Amino acid sequence: MARHLITSAIPYINGIKHLGNLVGSQLPADLFARYLRSRGHEVLFLCATDEHGTPAELAAAKAGKPVADYCAEMHDVQAEIAKGFRLSFDHFGRSSSQQNHALTQAFAGRLAEMNLIREVTEDQVYSLTDGRFLPDRYIEGTCPNCGFDSARGDQCDNCTKQLDPTDLINAHSTISGATDLEVRTTKHLYLRQSELKDTLADWIESKKDWPILTTSIAKKWLTDGDGLRDRGITRDLDWGIPVKNGAENWPGMEGKVFYVWFDAPIEYIACAQEWVDAGKGTDWESWWRTDKGADNVTYTQFMGKDNVPFHTLSFPATIMGVDQDWKLVDYIKSFNYLNYDGGQFSTSRGRGIFMDQALELLPSDYWRWWLLSHAPESSDAEFTWEQFQADANKDLSDVLGNFVSRITKFCRSKFSEAVPEGVAMGAAEDQLIADLTTRLKAYEGYMDATEVRKAAAELRGIWVLGNEYLQANAPWTAFKTDPETAAMQVRVGLNLIRLYAVLSEPFIPDASAAMLAAMKTEDASWPTDIAAALNVLPAGHVFDVPDNLFRKITDDEREEWAERFAGTRD
RNA sequence: GGCGCGGUAGCUCAGUUGGUUAGAGCGAUCGACUCAUAAUCGAUAGGUCGGGAGUUCAAGUCUCCCUCACGCCA
C-alpha cells in the first residue's frame, strides 16, 4: 500500500465551469483517486475554489453582493455540482480560508527572510470612479497608432502594437466606463524567481517521464527571452490575503493583498489543514512535510495546459525558495483543451455545455465516460453531439448496459433470480479468464500511468469480452440440450457483472453502484486473480434484475441539445 | 512577427528508440445469432500518414522549406 496525494487545479470562483474545464483537471484527478483507492492505497484527494482577484470582485459587484458573500455562495454552488459529478474530493476547500491566509503570509515572510523578495515601485493607472487600480486589460481607448477604438491598455488587438495605458486616446475603464483615470505610484513585492532559475531547470530536466506538454511549456518559460522573470506577488485590491510578513505587518504594504496566483497554489497545502480542521483527517503534515512523514507520499497534480507555468515554475519556486521540507510535486499530468463543435468552449460567451446544464440533461456517468474516454491528452480534442450520442449509446447502453440486461433476464426466465450452479468451468472459461487477465493487466498499467484514453479503451475491451463469451458459447442454445452447462455459463456471466462493477467504478461510479446493488453484494475488492473473482457470487446467491443501466440518447434529443447549446448562455 | 503543440481511414483518435502488407473504436456494407436496451458477435471495404525536397539499405517516425489549424508571448 502506498500513499498518494492528488490535487486538481482549483477552479476560479466566478461562475460555473464548462465541460472543457472539467475534463482538464477535476475529472481525471477523480478517476485517478478512485482507482488508487480501489487498489487499496491511501489517498488524499484535494480541490478548492480559487476566490481572490479582480474578476471575483467584479462578478460580486455585478451580482450586487459583498464579495465575501458572493464567494461563499458560489463555493457552495460549485461544491454541489462537484457532488453531482461524483468528484470524490476528501475536502473541497477555499483559497480564502483562514488557513490559507496564515500559510500564505508565512510563506511570504520566509521568502523575504531567504532574500527572495524585492520591493518594486511602479506606476499604475488608478480610476477615481472605480476607486481602484486598473489592470491593463481593464483599460481601453483609441489606439494612437491605427485609430482602433477598442485597444487595450497592454496592446492594440487591431494593429498588435504594444502599448502603455497612458498611450491610449480617450482611455477609459472597462468596468465603469469612467475616464477620470490618473497614474499613481505604487509599491509591490516581487518573487525573485530568476534566482531559482537553474534549480528549477535542473528539476524540470530530471522529470523524464512527465508529459511532453508539461515539460515543453515549462522549458519555454525558462528559456524564453531573458529567461524566467521575477514575478509580482502583490496587488492593490481589497479582496485577498493581506500582505503580511508572517504574523507581522509589512511596512509600506498596508492595504495591499497577495496576487491570486501566489496564494492559489498554497491553498493545496492549506486545504489539507482545512481537511483536518473539518474533522475529516488527523495529520495534514504527514502529507505535506517530508520531515514529518510525507517522504513516502507520491504527489500527482492534474491541470489544463494554461495552468502549467504556475505549477512547474511559480509554485515550485515558492516551495524551493522557503527551503523547509515541503513536499514537491512528483508528477504533473496536464491536458490540452476540449473544443466544442469546431470552436472553443467559452465561459464569457456561454458557448458549449456547462457543468450544471450537463447534469440536467443526463446522469453524470454519461459525461464522465465520454469525457474521460476522449480526454485531450495528446492534443486538443473535439466534442460533437453526434460523436457523444454514438459513443455513449454504443459503449454504455449496448456494450455494458445490455450485457447486464441480457444475462440477468436470461437467468430469471430460465432459472431464477439466484445464481445457478451447473457444471464446473471448462476450456472456454479458462480462455475467458486468460483474456480477462491480459486485459486487466493492461488496464492497470494505463491507469497507473494516468493514460486516461487508453485505460478507457481497455476497460471497454473488458466489457466486450463478456459479450464475446456469451455469443461464442450461447447459453440460450445450450439450455435446450444441456441446461447444466448453460447454468454454469450464466453463473460466469453474473459474476462478470460484479467484476465489471469493480473495474468500472473509477469511470462510472453510479452505474458501478447499481450493478453491485443488483448483484446484492458489497464485495468491491479489486481482483488479484480473475478465476477467483468469477467465483465471488456462489451458486444460490440471490440477485435483482436491475432497470436498464443506461437509456439511449435519441436523435431528437441530440438535435435539440445541439441547437440549444450552439447559442449563448444568458 | 517569435515560439509551442498539432495536421494519420467519412468521424474521434493510437502509432514506442526510423524496419516486414500503417492500427483501434464509431459509422458503412455483408453475414451469424435471437438471451438482451432493433441489443450482440464475426467479416469486408475505406488512408500516396497536410504539400515538397533531403538523409538512409529503409521515414508517418530524422533534417530543411512551404501550408493550414490551435495556443502562448512580444
Side-chain angles (χ1 to χ4, degrees):
Chain A
M1 184 170 104
R3 303 179 71 221
H4 286 270
L5 174 61
I6 300 168
T7 59
S8 160
I10 65 179
Y12 198 68
I13 192 70
N14 71 336
I16 292 163
K17 304 300 116 177
H18 55 62
L19 296 185
N21 299 131
L22 177 65
V23 73
S25 54
Q26 292 177 317
L27 196 50
D30 182 68
L31 178 80
F32 195 49
R34 286 177 177 275
Y35 167 72
L36 291 174
R37 288 192 198 105
S38 289
R39 296 301 305 273
H41 298 304
E42 191 182 352
V43 171
L44 182 62
F45 176 28
L46 301 174
C47 192
T49 38
D50 176 12
E51 307 194 355
H52 297 133
T54 307
E57 289 190 321
L58 297 180
K62 189 177 175 188
K65 293 173 180 167
V67 64
D69 294 356
Y70 171 81
C71 287
E73 286 175 24
M74 287 307 299
H75 173 84
D76 290 346
V77 167
Q78 294 210 21
E80 199 55 37
I81 293 173
K83 272 186 200 163
F85 275 95
R86 308 294 184 254
L87 302 175
S88 59
F89 308 132
D90 288 295
H91 189 70
F92 188 57
R94 304 181 59 185
S95 69
S96 61
S97 67
Q98 281 311 307
Q99 291 88 340
N100 197 36
H101 276 238
L103 193 58
T104 297
Q105 290 162 345
F107 270 124
R110 174 67 180 174
L111 287 169
E113 190 179 312
M114 299 298 284
N115 194 29
L116 288 169
I117 299 284
R118 62 185 170 91
E119 297 188 358
V120 174
T121 300
E122 55 197 9
D123 291 338
Q124 282 193 358
V125 173
Y126 186 86
S127 167
L128 294 167
T129 297
D130 295 304
R132 63 163 70 232
F133 282 94
L134 295 178
D136 290 351
R137 62 185 164 131
Y138 288 111
I139 305 164
E140 280 189 4
T142 301
C143 176
N145 187 48
C146 71
F148 181 59
D149 64 3
S150 293
R152 291 182 318 186
D154 47 356
Q155 81 163 70
C156 173
D157 285 335
N158 188 49
C159 69
T160 74
K161 184 176 172 63
Q162 190 183 341
L163 301 170
D164 267 335
T166 49
D167 296 335
L168 295 171
I169 300 163
N170 297 326
H172 59 271
S173 159
T174 61
I175 299 168
S176 62
T179 55
D180 52 348
L181 311 180
E182 60 184 47
V183 174
R184 291 188 181 181
T185 298
T186 182
K187 190 162 73 174
H188 284 296
L189 303 182
Y190 273 63
L191 174 60
R192 301 174 65 201
Q193 296 183 134
S194 54
E195 287 293 304
L196 295 160
K197 183 185 163 195
D198 293 341
T199 308
L200 286 165
D202 290 346
W203 180 62
I204 295 292
E205 196 58 44
S206 73
K207 302 300 183 184
K208 302 293 186 195
D209 61 334
W210 283 13
I212 294 172
L213 181 66
T214 303
T215 51
S216 66
I217 292 173
K219 287 175 184 171
K220 183 195 157 235
W221 281 62
L222 276 167
T223 57
D224 221 31
D226 303 327
L228 192 61
R229 290 177 211 173
D230 293 346
R231 189 175 187 87
I233 60 166
T234 57
R235 288 291 185 273
D236 289 292
L237 289 176
D238 297 326
W239 176 240
I241 296 176
V243 177
K244 285 191 172 186
N245 184 329
E248 307 300 317
N249 288 328
W250 202 308
M253 300 303 292
E254 294 80 7
K256 299 175 192 286
V257 300
F258 287 107
Y259 181 39
V260 60
W261 258 112
F262 182 68
D263 77 67
I266 294 172
E267 167 62 14
Y268 290 141
I269 304 174
C271 189
Q273 298 180 23
E274 292 177 51
W275 167 70
V276 170
D277 293 343
K280 300 174 183 170
T282 54
D283 186 3
W284 67 269
E285 288 186 312
S286 77
W287 290 98
W288 275 109
R289 292 290 298 229
T290 54
D291 58 336
K292 294 179 181 174
D295 49 325
N296 68 354
V297 168
T298 301
Y299 178 22
T300 308
Q301 293 177 339
F302 291 80
M303 70 198 65
K305 59 183 172 185
D306 51 329
N307 278 336
V308 169
F310 302 104
H311 290 79
T312 53
L313 304 170
S314 303
F315 185 46
T318 300
I319 294 293
M320 291 171 174
V322 296
D323 194 22
Q324 289 174 322
D325 299 310
W326 294 99
K327 176 75 188 165
L328 264 175
V329 66
D330 293 300
Y331 191 81
I332 295 181
K333 176 73 178 181
S334 55
F335 291 85
N336 288 282
Y337 293 145
L338 180 67
N339 289 320
Y340 178 78
D341 254 340
Q344 293 182 15
F345 274 87
S346 169
T347 301
S348 56
R349 281 177 296 145
R351 186 164 192 279
I353 314 158
F354 290 75
M355 287 172 72
D356 56 338
Q357 298 169 325
L359 290 177
E360 287 166 15
L361 303 185
L362 290 166
S364 62
D365 281 350
Y366 284 81
W367 302 106
R368 290 179 62 104
W369 173 254
W370 194 90
L371 291 169
L372 289 168
S373 61
H374 292 76
E377 291 177 296
S378 56
S379 64
D380 289 354
E382 182 81 11
F383 175 94
T384 66
W385 284 103
E386 288 77 11
Q387 198 79 27
F388 174 69
Q389 178 199 24
D391 291 338
N393 285 350
K394 190 70 181 176
D395 298 348
L396 298 177
S397 301
D398 297 347
V399 175
L400 178 61
N402 182 56
F403 174 79
V404 172
S405 182
R406 68 195 297 203
I407 194 71
T408 53
K409 287 177 181 170
F410 181 75
C411 184
R412 178 173 64 186
S413 73
K414 303 302 184 190
F415 301 98
S416 68
E417 285 183 69
V419 177
E421 179 154 19
V423 301
M425 293 187 199
E429 289 69 37
D430 288 345
Q431 185 59 51
L432 172 65
I433 289 164
D435 292 343
L436 283 169
T437 301
T438 300
R439 281 203 173 269
L440 174 62
K441 197 175 171 190
Y443 178 53
E444 291 171 346
Y446 289 136
M447 289 295 263
D448 287 336
T450 61
E451 294 261 16
V452 178
R453 298 178 82 128
K454 289 180 180 175
E458 209 58 43
L459 177 59
R460 185 188 191 280
I462 288 171
W463 296 340
V464 167
L465 284 178
N467 283 315
E468 286 176 355
Y469 170 76
L470 289 185
Q471 209 63 36
N473 296 284
W476 47 89
T477 302
F479 182 78
K480 295 169 186 167
T481 56
D482 185 3
E484 288 301 298
T485 292
M488 178 274 290
Q489 291 163 342
V490 169
R491 176 159 55 85
V492 169
L494 290 166
N495 272 282
L496 278 175
I497 294 174
R498 190 204 66 89
L499 178 63
Y500 290 173
V502 174
L503 300 182
S504 308
E505 192 272 346
F507 281 90
I508 46 174
D510 286 351
S512 169
M515 290 159 79
L516 287 178
M519 290 302 103
K520 293 188 184 294
T521 179
E522 293 179 3
D523 186 344
S525 58
W526 195 266
T528 52
D529 177 71
I530 295 291
L534 292 183
N535 280 297
V536 167
L537 301 180
H541 180 88
V542 174
F543 68 89
D544 284 335
V545 175
D547 293 335
N548 288 341
L549 290 179
F550 298 99
R551 72 170 183 82
K552 294 213 184 194
I553 300 166
T554 66
D555 291 349
D556 286 347
E557 286 176 315
R558 186 203 67 214
E559 286 169 18
E560 184 206 322
W561 296 340
E563 169 78 17
R564 191 188 332 169
F565 295 101
T568 49
R569 184 186 173 97
D570 52 88

